[in-house]
Amino acid sequence: MAATRANINWAGVTFGSTSISRVTSGVFSQGGKLLTFKGDVDLYNTVVANVTNEPHAAFTTADVGTMMGIAPGTTNTLTATLNDAKGATGGAVVFTLSNAVFETAEAQAHHAQFGSVMGTWQAFSSDGVTNPLAITRV
């Protein structure tokens, strides 16, 4: 079966050796930032340049204890797979965020409802040139 080019549900979310299960939402961002320029009598931007990239990620899970157990500032590799909608080979997307630094965990719960926690990560490049966010298909 050919890849569907549609993805659904996160699997295999890990931060170092910590497995993060019961994931309800996740995001990886390239973190691109644009700078615009206009001068003289320009009404519209005449230059748009990508001047910085700050890749980051966030995951929400029902497993509050695991996420709250990660200390802010911990550095490791964050990986996760976004599955092909029909499980086709070559359709899943694997995200790998190297040099991921755990930023914080924010837990919430309402009366008579399941609790959840959102963890956030930022990342750095080891040499200032290599993108810490890599994407592959499996």
Side-chain angles (χ1 to χ4, degrees):
M1 169 175 31
T4 62
R5 296 187 177 258
N7 300 93
I8 188 169
N9 294 334
W10 292 98
V13 181
T14 59
F15 180 57
S17 62
T18 302
S19 179
I20 301 169
S21 61
R22 302 227 177 244
V23 171
T24 57
S25 69
V27 61
F28 281 92
S29 173
Q30 296 173 338
K33 306 252 193 260
L34 301 178
L35 185 65
T36 60
F37 174 83
K38 61 184 166 194
D40 301 327
V41 295
D42 294 341
L43 293 177
Y44 302 97
N45 296 326
T46 55
V47 179
V48 178
N50 174 241
V51 296
T52 189
N53 296 294
E54 298 177 3
H56 56 278
F59 279 92
T60 300
T61 174
D63 187 359
V64 174
T66 296
M67 192 75 79
M68 293 299 287
I70 303 171
T74 302
T75 302
N76 217 314
T77 299
L78 177 66
T79 59
T81 301
L82 190 53
N83 294 317
D84 181 85
K86 291 191 173 184
T89 301
V93 180
V94 178
F95 295 83
T96 303
L97 189 61
S98 301
N99 301 319
V101 182
F102 188 71
E103 183 174 25
T104 194
E106 296 180 9
Q108 67 172 351
H110 300 281
H111 178 72
Q113 300 294 317
F114 288 109
S116 66
V117 60
M118 181 177 68
T120 57
W121 289 262
Q122 304 229 1
F124 64 91
S125 171
S126 56
D127 59 8
V129 177
T130 305
N131 188 347
L133 180 59
I135 299 162
T136 57
R137 287 198 174 263
V138 295

